[in-house]
Amino acid sequence: MCGISAIASHKQVASKLLNTLLNLEYRGYDSCGMSIYDGVQIQHKKNIGNVNEVNHKVDFLSMKGSTGIAHTRWATHGGVTMENSHPHPSNDNNFAIVHNGIFSNYQDLKEELIQKGYLFKSTTDTEVFSNLLQDEYRKSQNIEDAFCESLKKIEGSYAIAMITNYNPGVIYAVKKDSPLVIGVNDGTNYISSDINAFISETKDTILLGDFEYVIMTKDSYEVKKLSNRNKILKEVIKVKWDRETARRGGFSHYMLKEIFDQPQTIRNALQIQTDQLEEIARKFINKEQSFCVGVGTTYYIAMIGTYLFSKFANMYVPAISSDEYPNLIPVKKDHHVLFLSQSGETYDTRMAIRAAKNCGASTSAIVNVVGSSISQTVDHCIYQQSGPEICVVSTKAALSQIIILWQVALRVGVLRNKLTQKEADAFHDHLHEFAEIIEKVLNEESGFIRGLAMETSNINNWLFMGKGIYYPIALESALKMKEVTYLHAEGLPSGFLKHGTLAMVDENLYSLFFLPSREKTHLFESTLMAIEEVKTRKGKVVSFCLEDDTKTKELLDYYFVIPKIHSELTPLIELVMAQLFSYYSALHLGLNIDKPRNLAKSVTVG
Ligand code: F6R
């Protein structure tokens, strides 16, 4: 998982490449580098650290030339070292490449190349490709031949961009199972892992498909099929995201901005066309069994989906974590699987899709990133239109997925005659109201949540608990807390407590309970009972309640005040408040909130 950028221009490219790297940094930030053809030969600068740190060490802007490639890395094969950072030159320095993905057969290829006398400086899989290029060029003396023949030899997933001394001013790039997009402009053309990299320069974009390659100069591009080298005519898409959307918009962190974006992203999700939702809803009706699949946060969202389908459509839709999918045999020809993925690039989810398709199952997806691998692989894809999510941890994209699942569940409920259209419309209206209420909660409660986070940020161990739909809400909230604060937060069903975890409770243990509204009598009372169990053992309890609920307040050590809303929407309010609680806890601890240690935005490796 890494970010790739390549630019051919009529001007110097170092500063443009640097900007694209900064925009791609969320994809990985343990090392980075640049190679630029300086008029005589390719020059390289790279080192370990994030983009600004490396720039400080090596001074990218001193590099001269108008054609170059750049890379920001998240280590997979080979440790975080300068040798392993990209770009990787061939032994003779006539080729330089940047790569995202994994060459699964690189060890065999490396062995063969070593036998031929090639030397390897790094322990990466990537360097194999640079030397394969040199080796193939030696045979054919033709760059395109060398590029295509080298690609024939490799297996695995890749997005690659290459420059060569033999053809200055030209960039070669190709993709399979890893994202790559082209940006076209007057006199400067771009290739990148993500539209965000160049959105401030151009919105005219071309999506590259798997096994397609592009030969690009500053004022031309030619896309070809790898199998027969035939030219492909590609549509230029105008991206709607603007520069401002991709920026922090005055917030101190992307995470905070993205939490505050949520009223708008909910509205966007509510504007998704009915026929899009209908198409997926029909799959739930027409297929014998449906599943909801995602990983990490999106698995927890899939679990929330299970409760929504149960509630609104009286249908059991099990959630499966993509990474566990290969260990189960859940899917048959008559089944339908709905995949969730913000990035649309997650390896585990892509592999689960592949397995589902191999079984002949019908596939659909809810994805945020337009043109991403998952969106192109499934039978039907809904784009959630949340805009770019830059913070490594997911907030707005996750909530939008819930809103879309909610609408699909309502539609399935109507099709199954479990809900009338009138009832479904009423719920739809409540979701619109929810956008308003969230806006108010964010503006009015942030200060209080921040205060509480400051008071509790020294607590090292948390239990996050809930029952019913509040259980996956607790799991997701605990994940957020872990990711940004590095504190231990364990999510569990509150009914589980007395079956073991209660042993941990003493005056030092803090629990956050996701408490339903009183209208949900059974859920409310049984969650309250679990709170009592903790309180009896002197454990500290934080929870949510209405302003006038003095009885509940008396039981709690700390509480967040929630507004009076429809009882089905309470879990979503609590989810958003818990996002803020994690954010402010991490802020108080002075952590790198947008890029937590050891994590990266899209996990494209297994
Ligand atoms: C957590 C988080 C991750 C992702 C997971 C799947 O905040 O963002 O757990 O949810 O890596 O990513 P996508 O949704 O891109 O498939």
Side-chain angles (χ1 to χ4, degrees), residues 259 262 399 434 438 442 572-580:
I259 292 172
Q262 291 178 119
L399 184 59
F434 174 60
I438 277 293
L442 287 169
L572 303 192
I573 291 278
E574 294 186 6
L575 175 75
V576 174
M577 291 173 96
Q579 292 171 346
L580 276 180

Side-chain angles (χ1 to χ4, degrees), residues 301-317:
I301 305 306
M303 284 178 78
I304 291 172
T306 302
Y307 287 91
L308 295 176
F309 284 103
S310 170
K311 162 87 197 158
F312 297 122
N314 198 19
M315 184 184 255
Y316 179 48
V317 180

Side-chain angles (χ1 to χ4, degrees), residues 203-217:
K203 290 182 179 174
D204 290 339
T205 304
I206 294 151
L207 306 176
L208 211 59
D210 279 349
F211 300 110
E212 290 175 1
Y213 66 102
V214 57
I215 303 174
M216 187 181 90
T217 68

Side-chain angles (χ1 to χ4, degrees), residues 46 83-90 95-97 122 124 126-127 130:
K46 56 185 186 176
E83 290 71 31
N84 286 345
S85 52
H86 296 223
H88 287 283
S90 55
F95 298 90
I97 69 156
S122 77
T124 63
T126 305
E127 202 183 354
S130 325

Side-chain angles (χ1 to χ4, degrees), residues 295-298 341-343 346 392-394 479-480 483 603:
V295 70
T297 285
T298 47
S341 178
Q342 186 286 129
S343 62
T346 304
V392 165
V393 305
S394 186
L479 181 62
K480 284 294 89 90
E483 288 177 291
V603 187

Side-chain angles (χ1 to χ4, degrees), residues 29-33 45-58 60 73 75 79-86:
Y29 35 82
D30 58 42
S31 57
C32 68
K45 287 195 181 214
K46 56 185 186 176
N47 215 313
I48 56 172
N50 66 35
V51 178
N52 280 326
E53 286 162 359
V54 175
N55 187 34
H56 192 68
K57 288 181 198 164
V58 304
F60 286 127
R73 178 169 188 251
V80 182
T81 63
M82 181 156 108
E83 290 71 31
N84 286 345
S85 52
H86 296 223

